[in-house]
Amino acid sequence: MVVPVKGTEKRMIRWITAVLWLCLSSLTWAVDLKALRSSVTQDSSRVVLELTGPAQLNYFNLDNPKRLVVDVSNLRHASVQSLSVLDDSRINRIRTSVRESGSRLVFDLSGDYRTNVFALAAEGAYPHRIVIDVVGYIAGEAAPIRAPETRPPEPLVQKRDIVVAIDPGHGGRDPGATGYGVVEKEIVLQISKRIARRFQNEAGYRAVLTREGDQFIKLTDRPKKAREAGADFFVSIHADSFPKNRSVRGFGVFALSLRGANSELSRWLQNTENADDLAGGVDLGNVDDATRQVLLNMSMESAIRISKQAGEGLLSDLSRVGRVHKKELGLANFVVLRSPDIPSLLIETGFISNRADAQRLANPKEQEKIAAAIVLGITRYFERNPPANTFVAWRKQNAGSRIVVEVKRGDSLSEIAARYGLSVKALRELNGLKSDVIRVGQKLEVPVAPR
Ligand SMILES: [Zn+2]
């Protein structure tokens, strides 16, 4: 029989190829673990694996129980075999196993945390690294509110505002949808300005508009403007039209779908101008192209995750002020939502093709209600997940405590009150002031109230 011989030969060749490939790959790529560092804060846990060379990295999350799986296809298993327990309430333990190539590290998590994994190239005294961040309050423990007597509150020094970019759809030669005497570009600008005004009155937030008048702006320029303004969030305001069925009405909220996102990301990366632009927004540091791609991918995924979380909350806030057309968050591939680094939502405030909706959208009172619901949805999201170094993060951490503020030249009572999100009256009463007059060097007690 010839066949078995042939089969054996085939197997031999396959086997030799595999061995050769393994040898070659281990010769050129294999890396070892040099050291493991870990740190824990109230908000997150970080594990840093220091390696002898650049890592080939892939990771994903699993549920029931919550796990983070990190595959490093060129990490020699012998060097990670002894990894096991960390003194960390978020990571119960690290298990390791040999993979066909490299090693698999499984982080058993104690709860539903956000995870971030990225590789960093060697730089200065630092070797090649894999950084694993596990973010979120420790399961079973309430979000921390520091008692003033246990730890002095952290003073408010240079905490930035959260920047929300508001994008009124259409404009100029593009009127958008029209019906019943209502023009989309006009009413979305009115609603957007109301949203912006509300954000201006929120301590710790700042709003920027992509257009303030009736001008035409290219779709791709809109997220660009948001990025230039350093936006933490982008929300595009529109109204729908469906003349075929004029009974269709209500709100709709859309985030970018991951499906569109992946192709969008590769298109983005092909354009170096975009990648450089984006690098400014995400702080990629000194990384090689492969790592850059991993980081950008991660930042887009996280932007989409944030968009979805915020969008779902927003939808429920909008449902309190009017009918919702689509009960679930829509996932779509709108051009304005394709920002890999900024969480973005598109809100359809109603259907201009529906008479009741058109009237509602043109009514200043109703516009104000819509604006209030949108601001509530976005601020609610950020109060739960404030970006680092923002006033909102500071306020959340120090809520319930009192701090002492020394009056500086140029300060006014109303300005100090606004800075800390208080009313002038409350600040005056607390400090026993008879008038709004304050002097330089005077010390004022200021309570840090949650929003
Ligand atoms: Zn529109």
Side-chain angles (χ1 to χ4, degrees):
M1 290 277 281
V2 203
V3 179
V5 179
K6 263 193 177 166
T8 316
E9 275 174 357
K10 262 190 197 161
R11 267 200 298 276
M12 282 280 278
I13 290 164
R14 226 182 285 146
W15 190 78
I16 290 166
T17 316
V19 168
L20 262 176
W21 187 84
L22 268 174
C23 289
L24 274 174
S25 63
S26 67
L27 276 175
T28 44
W29 293 108
V31 298
D32 284 318
L33 178 73
K34 279 169 68 179
L36 175 141
R37 289 184 282 120
S38 72
S39 56
V40 186
T41 69
Q42 210 164 30
D43 306 314
S44 64
S45 301
R46 168 166 282 191
V47 176
V48 181
L49 305 173
E50 297 188 346
L51 306 173
T52 55
Q56 305 285 311
L57 190 63
N58 189 26
Y59 72 96
F60 52 93
N61 290 90
L62 291 173
D63 287 333
N64 301 320
K66 297 279 179 192
R67 282 154 291 164
L68 166 67
V69 181
V70 181
D71 284 334
V72 190
S73 61
N74 61 337
L75 177 59
R76 254 193 289 259
H77 185 248
S79 66
V80 292
Q81 230 156 5
S82 57
L83 283 184
S84 56
V85 190
L86 285 174
D87 184 19
D88 190 310
S89 324
R90 293 183 187 85
I91 303 165
N92 288 337
R93 59 176 179 158
I94 307 174
R95 291 178 284 130
T96 70
S97 58
V98 192
R99 301 278 289 159
E100 195 176 335
S101 57
S103 311
R104 166 167 286 184
L105 310 178
V106 180
F107 295 74
D108 289 333
L109 306 179
S110 65
D112 189 9
Y113 304 114
R114 282 176 292 127
T115 53
N116 264 353
V117 181
F118 53 97
L120 290 173
E123 198 186 338
Y126 293 104
H128 290 277
R129 283 148 291 164
I130 299 172
V131 180
I132 296 122
D133 282 334
V134 181
V135 185
Y137 293 123
I138 292 161
E141 288 178 19
I145 293 175
R146 276 180 206 158
E149 54 279 4
T150 53
R151 196 187 288 212
E154 181 202 345
L156 177 64
V157 183
Q158 287 190 325
K159 299 293 181 203
R160 68 174 185 89
D161 287 339
I162 289 173
V163 180
V164 181
I166 303 151
D167 174 47
H170 313 277
R173 60 181 145 93
D174 169 20
T178 52
Y180 301 105
V182 176
V183 182
E184 181 182 355
K185 68 171 181 178
E186 289 168 8
I187 57 106
V188 295
L189 181 61
Q190 289 159 3
I191 294 170
S192 298
K193 284 186 170 172
R194 292 181 195 277
I195 297 170
R197 215 170 300 140
R198 282 177 173 268
F199 271 119
Q200 293 320 104
N201 291 327
E202 283 286 337
Y205 291 88
R206 195 158 57 80
V208 289
L209 287 158
T210 56
R211 68 174 175 100
E212 292 188 41
D214 182 22
Q215 69 255 48
F216 177 80
I217 300 170
K218 281 203 308 202
L219 285 178
T220 47
D221 283 348
R222 293 169 185 261
K224 215 188 232 172
K225 283 189 168 207
R227 187 170 302 103
E228 279 162 9
D232 296 279
F233 205 92
F234 176 90
V235 58
S236 195
I237 307 297
H238 285 256
D240 239 322
S241 178
F242 192 56
K244 274 186 190 162
N245 181 353
R246 293 193 175 269
S247 69
V248 175
R249 58 186 285 200
F251 296 108
V253 181
F254 297 86
L256 182 63
S257 76
L258 251 179
R259 241 174 125 170
N262 286 333
S263 59
E264 193 57 32
L265 184 70
S266 40
R267 207 179 57 77
W268 253 78
L269 285 166
Q270 277 157 21
N271 184 337
T272 32
E273 196 186 307
N274 276 338
D276 288 346
D277 200 8
L278 184 62
V282 196
D283 187 18
L284 297 180
N286 184 15
V287 296
D288 54 61
D289 282 355
T291 312
R292 172 183 288 255
Q293 188 146 357
V294 171
L295 287 175
L296 290 184
N297 213 339
M298 199 177 74
S299 95
M300 185 149 200
E301 276 174 22
S302 104
I304 288 174
R305 196 167 49 226
I306 293 173
S307 311
K308 281 188 189 164
Q309 269 181 40
E312 272 153 19
L314 203 95
L315 199 58
S316 87
D317 289 320
L318 282 170
S319 71
R320 275 182 215 112
V321 297
R323 187 192 297 247
V324 169
H325 165 59
K326 255 179 107 230
K327 292 270 182 308
E328 269 154 28
L329 182 70
L331 297 177
N333 199 2
F334 293 115
V335 174
V336 286
L337 295 182
R338 297 177 200 162
S339 249
D341 52 343
I342 306 174
S344 309
L345 291 177
L346 186 143
I347 299 176
E348 296 282 7
T349 50
F351 283 79
I352 284 180
S353 48
N354 174 272
R355 184 187 293 273
D357 258 12
Q359 281 167 353
R360 179 176 62 88
L361 289 169
N363 181 332
K365 263 192 192 159
E366 295 295 323
Q367 288 183 353
E368 203 57 57
K369 276 194 210 166
I370 296 169
I374 291 171
V375 171
L376 180 66
I378 294 173
T379 51
R380 199 205 300 273
Y381 173 78
F382 278 120
E383 299 300 321
R384 282 198 198 125
N385 311 282
N389 299 321
T390 57
F391 172 83
V392 176
W394 173 86
R395 180 172 61 190
K396 183 174 179 174
Q397 242 171 31
N398 295 284
S401 59
R402 281 185 182 186
I403 57 165
V404 175
V405 175
E406 195 180 314
V407 176
K408 299 229 162 43
R409 195 168 299 280
D411 278 353
S412 71
L413 199 63
S414 60
E415 192 267 330
I416 292 173
R419 197 191 306 160
Y420 291 92
L422 295 168
S423 74
V424 175
K425 188 166 171 271
L427 195 55
R428 216 167 43 200
E429 276 171 13
L430 186 79
N431 288 279
L433 303 176
K434 297 218 164 54
S435 73
D436 288 358
V437 180
I438 47 174
R439 55 190 163 70
V440 175
Q442 185 175 352
K443 291 194 168 127
L444 297 174
E445 208 174 311
V446 178
V448 184
R451 183 178 176 269

